[in-house]
Amino acid sequence: MSTHVTRRDFLAGSAASVALAACASAPKTPSVSTKPHGRAGVVLFQGDSITDASRSRAAAGPNTPAALGTGYPLLIASAVLRAQADRDWSFFNRGISGNRVPDLQARWAADTIALKPDVLSILIGVNDYWHMRRNTYAGTAADYEAGLAALLGGTREALPSVRLIIMEPFVLPIGSVDMTWFPAFDERRAIARRIADRTGATFVSLHDAIMAEATRTRADRWLGDGVHPTPAGHALIAERWRTAAAI
Amino acid sequence: MSTHVTRRDFLAGSAASVALAACASAPKTPSVSTKPHGRAGVVLFQGDSITDASRSRAAAGPNTPAALGTGYPLLIASAVLRAQADRDWSFFNRGISGNRVPDLQARWAADTIALKPDVLSILIGVNDYWHMRRNTYAGTAADYEAGLAALLGGTREALPSVRLIIMEPFVLPIGSVDMTWFPAFDERRAIARRIADRTGATFVSLHDAIMAEATRTRADRWLGDGVHPTPAGHALIAERWRTAAAI
């Protein structure tokens, strides 16, 4: 909740009076501003189903609600665009359910580089581990590390001034996940952090914060099946992203 | 953005240490809590396309992201469930694009009363006026007032303890809307407020706040076509709803 309600309510009242007075005297002239504002940049969210979050695949411009999905990308975009309405932020979501690092690599030129993001946020890794456990993928932890490093190295070459944000993979031991995932899964978390450090990316730590909330309340209130965030989980992730990114 | 980052980060670190220590000593026992928590209630959002916001029609339980859509209902649910994770809030969205008051009346028994909401939030009115302008609907302002009063009267009879929240209709004079909508459209806003007062409903004022932001920045940053909110517009609406409802 905002702490600016009193001030905003005051401004709303006074500005609306001015606007409505303008309506009365010149009814065919829009009283609302159409002036241009400062550029902020293109923010692109990449990842798997957690990022995808049922987004529409229909062609759409930036900041389109259905194209942003129902997860943390929409929550971040809504909050930033509301707080910084005088800046030209353009938010895109290109997460695809089921993706692992090699899937990102295969579609990177078209789905990432071509969009020329100023800020590129990546959440990838849970499927790299999960699919290996299910024997539907042969990727090891070393493959995850080498693949992610190569992906980011190539990105830096293609987009020298891009700001990189790496989000930490997370799970909770309920639903699709149990305690046999640990400590192997923690290695993937450590790799994501190491790659972020090496590439100068901003790292968004998530796993410990989600585990702490799950311990305090109930795990299924944050990740319904141990993998996919609830609305509350997405809100927690969005909060931590904004704090880490300072956007 | 949260102001509790330092404290939460500290808790996250310490609780996760405890949890991970528990993992190491008893690897088959989930370290996360499954204890039950206090009941809060069922919150139902009703309305037209602004509430609908591309929600999935697939059968789904409460608090399901895709079923909440990509608008203010999802933003409110995400924020409340994140802030009050120890309470049993159940959020549903039953908004349908194009609806006017008579459309709500026709589906009210199945889509509202049957869900037994503890909190019922209604945003309706823009189509009641718009469709009349386009000669696709004959409803006058008096019809809007009588219809909305009858709808809420019947709701109070069927659900004597329901808490009602009426949201103010809003538009901006761009896109599908121009200044010839005023002051006629203002009459619909006044009716919504009057009905809220008469029925003891909480009223969420929105039009002046949106007009003030549009005047300060640019109208299309809040309502893309003069009617439908952008992500920033939905964030502003969600903020004002939470402040008015104190939830």
Side-chain angles (χ1 to χ4, degrees):
Chain A
M1 299 299 295
S2 168
T3 55
H4 305 298
V5 171
T6 306
R7 181 164 169 274
R8 189 180 314 118
D9 283 353
F10 170 75
L11 289 174
S14 60
S17 300
V18 172
L20 294 172
C23 293
S25 60
K28 296 293 179 187
T29 307
S31 60
V32 291
S33 171
T34 53
K35 62 182 178 287
H37 291 271
R39 175 168 167 78
V42 172
V43 181
L44 172 60
F45 295 101
Q46 272 289 10
D48 53 33
S49 57
I50 299 165
T51 304
D52 183 332
S54 309
R55 70 179 173 88
S56 162
R57 262 51 167 183
N63 309 335
T64 305
L68 288 166
T70 58
Y72 75 87
L74 177 70
L75 300 185
I76 291 169
S78 300
V80 173
L81 291 164
R82 189 270 174 273
Q84 303 177 31
D86 52 349
R87 303 192 69 198
D88 286 332
W89 290 109
S90 295
F91 288 91
F92 292 94
N93 181 355
R94 289 291 185 275
I96 294 187
S97 289
N99 268 199
R100 301 151 303 193
V101 169
D103 303 307
L104 294 187
Q105 187 74 63
R107 62 188 182 83
W108 211 237
D111 272 6
T112 297
I113 306 302
L115 284 165
K116 298 185 172 59
D118 299 288
V119 179
L120 170 62
S121 174
I122 305 171
L123 171 56
I124 199 77
V126 67
N127 292 318
D128 297 72
Y129 178 71
W130 196 1
H131 297 186
M132 183 209 60
R133 281 179 64 96
R134 295 194 307 206
N135 296 314
T136 58
Y137 175 59
T140 63
D143 293 329
Y144 175 65
E145 182 154 17
L148 192 53
L151 190 72
L152 296 184
T155 305
R156 279 257 184 254
E157 265 181 50
L159 304 167
S161 63
V162 70
R163 178 175 175 199
L164 296 172
I165 298 181
I166 307 291
M167 301 172 70
E168 181 184 33
F170 50 80
V171 291
L172 288 172
I174 57 168
S176 303
V177 178
D178 63 29
M179 291 308 299
T180 65
W181 282 51
F182 301 95
F185 184 77
D186 296 328
E187 193 182 356
R188 307 298 178 119
R189 297 167 47 209
I191 288 168
R193 184 184 293 268
R194 198 153 62 225
I195 297 283
D197 287 348
R198 268 192 218 140
T199 56
T202 297
F203 186 70
V204 184
S205 67
L206 292 169
H207 188 278
D208 287 358
I210 293 170
M211 180 69 89
E213 292 291 355
T215 307
R216 187 177 68 79
T217 59
R218 259 173 50 182
D220 61 0
R221 302 214 160 185
W222 304 95
L223 307 179
D225 60 358
V227 173
H228 296 93
T230 60
H234 279 294
L236 172 61
I237 292 164
E239 258 175 38
R240 294 189 65 85
W241 190 98
R242 289 196 66 198
T243 300
I247 289 174
Chain B
M1 299 299 296
S2 169
T3 56
H4 305 297
V5 171
T6 306
R7 180 163 170 271
R8 186 182 316 121
D9 283 351
F10 170 74
L11 289 173
S14 58
S17 301
V18 172
L20 293 172
C23 294
S25 60
K28 296 293 179 189
T29 307
S31 60
V32 291
S33 170
T34 53
K35 62 181 179 288
H37 291 272
R39 176 170 167 74
V42 172
V43 181
L44 172 60
F45 294 101
Q46 272 289 10
D48 53 32
S49 57
I50 298 165
T51 304
D52 184 331
S54 309
R55 70 179 174 87
S56 162
R57 261 58 167 179
N63 308 337
T64 304
L68 288 167
T70 58
Y72 74 88
L74 177 70
L75 300 185
I76 292 169
S78 300
V80 172
L81 292 164
R82 189 268 175 276
Q84 304 178 30
D86 52 349
R87 303 191 69 196
D88 287 332
W89 289 110
S90 295
F91 288 90
F92 291 94
N93 182 355
R94 289 290 184 277
I96 295 187
S97 289
N99 268 199
R100 300 151 303 193
V101 169
D103 302 307
L104 294 187
Q105 187 75 62
R107 62 187 183 84
W108 210 238
D111 272 7
T112 297
I113 307 301
L115 285 165
K116 297 185 173 61
D118 298 287
V119 179
L120 170 60
S121 174
I122 305 171
L123 172 55
I124 199 79
V126 68
N127 293 318
D128 297 71
Y129 177 72
W130 196 1
H131 296 187
M132 183 210 58
R133 282 178 64 96
R134 295 194 306 207
N135 295 314
T136 60
Y137 175 59
T140 63
D143 292 330
Y144 175 65
E145 181 152 17
L148 192 54
L151 190 72
L152 295 184
T155 306
R156 280 259 184 252
E157 267 182 47
L159 304 167
S161 62
V162 71
R163 177 174 175 199
L164 296 172
I165 298 180
I166 306 291
M167 300 172 70
E168 181 183 33
F170 50 81
V171 290
L172 287 172
I174 57 168
S176 304
V177 178
D178 62 29
M179 292 308 299
T180 65
W181 283 50
F182 301 94
F185 184 78
D186 296 328
E187 192 181 357
R188 308 298 177 119
R189 297 166 48 209
I191 289 168
R193 183 184 292 267
R194 198 154 62 225
I195 297 284
D197 288 347
R198 270 192 215 138
T199 56
T202 298
F203 185 70
V204 185
S205 67
L206 292 168
H207 187 278
D208 286 359
I210 293 170
M211 179 70 88
E213 292 290 357
T215 306
R216 186 177 67 79
T217 60
R218 260 174 49 181
D220 62 359
R221 303 215 159 182
W222 304 95
L223 308 179
D225 60 357
V227 172
H228 295 94
T230 60
H234 279 295
L236 172 61
I237 293 164
E239 257 175 39
R240 292 189 67 85
W241 190 98
R242 288 196 65 198
T243 300
I247 290 175

